[in-house]
Every structure is written in structure tokens, then in C-alpha cells.
Amino acid sequence: MDPKFTNGFINQLRGRSIFLIGMMGSGKSSTGPVLAEILKYKYVDLDELIEKLTKKTIDKIFIEEGEKYFRDLETQCLQEIIKFPSTVVSTGGGVVLKKENWGFLRQGIVVWLDINQQVVIERLDQTKSDSRPLLKGKNVKLMYQEIFEIRKDIYAQADLRVEINNEGVKSIAEKIIRALKEKIKN
Ligand code: S3P
């Protein structure tokens, strides 16, 4: 990306943080660091932060403490993260569920990575992950569709929706920047 273009965009952002939201497997955690690097922003992965603080995997937290406990931690961490400007934050797919979280997300710019369903289901089928207890032992396709059905209108409340297919993370990061630049201009 042309540095002149990127620097102009960084100025336009005026330190506003960027929150990546979207379904599991949509590429929030892989795209976030690349986006942060281009923008010279700090980077936080919300799930990773929770795992570091609790010294447990997300899966273990769900098993031992339950989903509500995890969701409360998610909110508490988000509340801390928004104190830092110029940060790209990759959130967990369910962060949008609590109304309270939107109050925090709205302090930055919310970007929905809207990934093609077929691509993501194949991806999730192939990855065994300790961070996705909601899909564990389930029919990934059915469960994914069920969760997406409940959440799609909530994700749609993002400031920006970026359609994702099978592009690499750098292309996605650049796509986000171009779309955001367009959005901020208007
Ligand atoms: C969740 C998504 C996960 C993780 C947790 C719950 C969800 O994060 O926060 O398993 O409710 O969609 P990713 O979206 O990074 O997989």
C-alpha cells in the first residue's frame, strides 16, 4: 500500500480504535495484527488476553466456570481495552451479544468481517481448536448456521461490513483500510 495513502488515512483515524467483529473463523485474529502493523497501531486479541489473565484456555473456562463467567470477563476486558487509543482489537465472535459491550465498541470503529459461509465452515471443520467450545463435538455446519442466524442482524450493526472470501490476511487488511477510508470520507 502506498505509504502516502496509509499515512493520510492514519491521520483521518485520529487515534480511534478499530474493533474487528464477526463469526468464529472469519479471520479476526489473523487479520488484526497485520492491520495494526500497517496502521502503526497497538494490537490486542480479546480471547488471548482472557486466556493470559486466567491462565486457562477458553475451552477450559467454559467447562470449569461456564459461558456466563467467560462473557463477564469479556466485558471487563473490553472495558479496559477501550482506555487505550490507536488499537486494533480482535474480538471473540460472541462479544456482540451483550448490549453493554456495544457501548464500549462504539467508542471506536466497528468492522464486521462477513465471511462466506462455505469458506468458513470448511475452515472450521479442519481446525480443532481449544478456543471454540461452542462448536466442540457438534455438527460444525449446523451449529455454525444456527449461531449465525441468531447473530447476523447484530453483526450488521457494525459501522462497516467487509465481505471476505478466501483472500489472504494482507489483502483483507488492505480491503478494510480502503473501505474505512471511503466510509470516513463520507
Ligand atoms: C465465541 C467465539 C470465540 C471465543 C469463544 C466464543 C463465540 O472466538 O470467544 O469460543 O461465541 O462466537 P473466535 O470468534 O475468535 O473464534
Side-chain angles (χ1 to χ4, degrees):
M1 243 179 179
D2 177 10
K4 248 193 190 162
F5 176 87
T6 323
N7 287 334
F9 176 63
I10 294 171
N11 284 337
Q12 269 181 297
L13 274 176
R14 287 184 282 107
R16 279 172 287 182
S17 289
I18 297 174
F19 295 95
L20 301 180
I21 66 165
M23 285 291 283
M24 294 170 262
S26 58
K28 300 170 301 245
S29 298
S30 50
T31 309
V34 178
L35 183 62
E37 198 185 333
I38 299 175
L39 298 177
K40 305 181 185 92
Y41 262 35
K42 299 177 278 296
Y43 175 68
V44 177
D45 184 302
L46 193 49
D47 279 347
E48 264 179 31
L49 179 64
I50 294 172
E51 290 189 329
K52 263 192 205 139
L53 288 173
T54 57
K55 300 191 179 69
K56 284 182 185 180
T57 61
I58 304 286
D59 190 44
K60 208 163 182 207
I61 301 173
F62 267 67
I63 293 170
E64 293 182 357
E65 267 92 20
E67 181 169 351
K68 183 176 181 309
Y69 180 85
F70 170 76
R71 298 292 175 207
D72 288 345
L73 275 179
E74 207 172 31
T75 302
Q76 281 168 32
C77 288
L78 196 57
Q79 194 168 6
E80 292 306 311
I81 290 170
I82 52 147
K83 294 178 185 161
F84 302 94
S86 309
T87 306
V88 172
V89 184
S90 300
T91 63
V95 80
V96 296
L97 294 173
K98 267 198 197 172
K99 228 178 169 183
E100 183 186 354
N101 291 349
W102 279 92
F104 303 129
L105 296 171
R106 288 274 182 235
Q107 297 187 35
I109 304 172
V110 186
V111 179
W112 173 24
L113 301 191
D114 185 13
I115 188 157
N116 174 286
Q117 270 210 34
Q118 206 176 323
V119 172
V120 74
I121 287 165
E122 264 169 41
R123 194 184 283 177
L124 288 169
D125 246 342
Q126 284 159 10
T127 50
K128 273 209 180 80
S129 171
D130 267 355
S131 69
R132 300 196 172 111
L134 296 179
L135 299 178
K136 213 168 115 184
K138 306 262 170 52
N139 176 321
V140 170
K141 187 175 180 188
L142 289 181
M143 198 60 197
Y144 183 91
Q145 286 171 337
E146 196 177 302
I147 297 173
F148 184 65
E149 214 33 57
I150 296 168
R151 294 184 186 168
K152 62 178 188 215
D153 292 341
I154 317 179
Y155 288 135
Q157 291 169 32
D159 298 302
L160 184 76
R161 166 175 167 260
V162 178
E163 271 184 61
I164 314 285
N165 286 293
N166 228 341
E167 315 84 322
V169 286
K170 192 154 182 270
S171 311
I172 300 174
E174 292 182 353
K175 203 168 170 179
I176 294 171
I177 292 174
R178 279 192 298 272
L180 270 177
K181 192 163 168 56
E182 200 50 38
K183 175 95 191 168
I184 290 177
K185 192 178 80 185
N186 296 325

